[in-house]
């Protein structure tokens, strides 16, 4: 199975500041045949289901604010929130869908400093 | 509006069975793969299994922890996906989410999630 490891486990950032979450996969999730990274980012607020933010590592889902961006390739990926808003407090998960079983990182809890 | 509504959760004894349903609306259900995920209380997300669209054979894949006990199926005429859970164990206790994948053939992100249904396995 592909192991996904996120860092840090928790993060406190001031409003308006940048937040960066890292995700590392135990093997590459880049498909060389289509040059796509099979990596997604989700946001989960308490009592709610996860919400897709980013797919193919860097494509923002429709309706997601442009302060959210994804980057990286192969085994190392990042989710960046350029200017933290109060409503961004949540747990963030990366997920690989390159191979089954789909696997997730352990989650990063983002709070306001 | 794309919507997924799960039902069928509840309290069940170990070793018994339960069937979850996921009723979809707002999109061409038959064109997409459908996945099930679960989240144990206070824990992270775990993929359970998926079913491809009929165009990709309607085939299924499962996590090792549920393979042989759980079955994903679909009724495209009713826009419903099912998760049949047999031989339930206490460690299957979780909120179960149904999702729509962004592709037809599996190996895809989930771009719509239901609200989830709680399954509690306990004597």
């Amino acid at each position: 199975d592909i192991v996904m490891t996120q860092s840090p486990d928790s993060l406190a950032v001031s409003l308006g500041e940048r937040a960066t979450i890292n995700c590392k996969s135990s093997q590459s999730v880049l498909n060389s045949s289509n040059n796509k990274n099979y990596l997604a980012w989700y946001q989960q607020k308490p009592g709610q289901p996860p919400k897709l933010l980013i797919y193919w590592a860097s494509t923002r889902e429709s309706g997601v604010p442009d302060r959210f961006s994804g980057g990286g390739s192969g085994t190392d990926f990042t989710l960046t929130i350029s200017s933290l808003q109060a409503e961004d407090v949540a747990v963030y998960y990366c997920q690989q869908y390159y191979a089954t079983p789909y696997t997730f990182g352990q989650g990063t809890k983002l709070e306001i400093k | 509006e794309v919507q997924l509504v799960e039902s069928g959760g509840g309290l069940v004894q170990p070793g018994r069975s339960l069937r979850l349903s996921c009723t979809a609306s707002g999109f061409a259900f038959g064109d997409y793969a459908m996945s099930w995920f679960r989240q144990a209380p206070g824990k992270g997300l775990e993929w359970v299994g998926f079913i491809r669209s009929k165009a990709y054979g309607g085939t299924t894949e499962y996590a090792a922890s549920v393979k042989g006990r759980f079955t994903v199926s679909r009724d495209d005429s009713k826009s419903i996906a099912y998760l049949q859970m047999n031989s339930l164990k206490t460690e299957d206790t979780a909120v179960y989410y149904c999702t729509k994948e962004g592709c037809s053939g599996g190996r895809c992100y989930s771009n719509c999630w239901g609200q989830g249904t709680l399954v509690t396995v306990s004597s």
Side-chain angles (χ1 to χ4, degrees):
Chain A
D1 298 1
I2 298 176
V3 177
M4 308 299 290
T5 304
Q6 290 180 228
S7 62
D9 290 335
S10 63
L11 182 61
V13 175
S14 300
L15 290 173
E17 295 300 303
R18 177 185 299 260
T20 300
I21 299 171
N22 302 295
C23 176
K24 189 175 183 68
S25 58
S26 62
Q27 65 187 76
S28 177
V29 298
L30 173 64
N31 186 337
S32 56
S33 66
N34 59 13
N35 202 35
K36 288 184 174 183
N37 287 284
Y38 285 53
L39 191 285
W41 289 96
Y42 300 89
Q43 175 193 63
Q44 187 176 31
K45 297 180 179 180
Q48 296 185 20
K51 173 189 172 184
L52 177 67
L53 297 175
I54 303 286
Y55 57 96
W56 302 130
S58 61
T59 302
R60 195 181 304 113
E61 172 70 337
S62 176
V64 172
D66 61 6
R67 63 180 181 274
F68 291 91
S69 63
S73 184
T75 61
D76 292 281
F77 301 91
T78 57
L79 173 70
T80 301
I81 308 172
S82 60
S83 177
L84 188 71
Q85 304 299 303
E87 60 265 32
D88 300 336
V89 169
V91 178
Y92 292 83
Y93 294 95
C94 61
Q95 178 217 3
Q96 67 79 21
Y97 47 94
Y98 180 84
T100 56
Y102 297 160
T103 47
F104 291 85
Q106 76 277 20
T108 294
K109 187 174 185 179
L110 178 59
E111 300 172 315
I112 305 294
K113 185 187 289 184
Chain B
E1 179 193 4
V2 176
Q3 194 170 12
L4 300 171
V5 179
E6 301 95 339
S7 59
L11 175 63
V12 61
Q13 293 179 326
R16 306 297 292 263
S17 299
L18 203 61
R19 188 178 79 161
L20 306 183
S21 299
C22 170
T23 302
S25 59
F27 65 100
F29 180 80
D31 288 349
Y32 293 92
M34 299 295 292
S35 266
W36 288 91
F37 294 83
R38 66 185 181 184
Q39 187 169 35
K43 301 297 184 182
L45 296 163
E46 180 186 14
W47 172 74
V48 172
F50 72 60
I51 185 165
R52 295 179 176 86
S53 68
K54 290 289 194 294
Y56 283 81
T59 53
T60 54
E61 294 193 33
Y62 300 96
S65 58
V66 306
K67 193 170 185 178
R69 299 189 299 124
F70 289 13
T71 302
V72 180
S73 60
R74 63 190 301 156
D75 185 336
D76 291 350
S77 68
K78 296 181 179 178
S79 296
I80 299 178
Y82 300 99
L83 179 64
Q84 177 69 42
M85 303 183 294
N86 298 332
S87 303
L88 282 161
K89 305 175 182 180
T90 54
E91 53 263 41
D92 295 320
T93 294
V95 174
Y96 284 74
Y97 296 104
C98 164
T99 77
K100 167 190 170 292
E101 295 206 347
C103 316
S104 304
R107 291 184 71 205
C108 201
Y109 50 88
S110 288
N111 59 4
C112 182
W113 295 62
Q115 283 298 311
T117 187
L118 177 62
V119 172
T120 303
V121 184
S122 175
S123 54

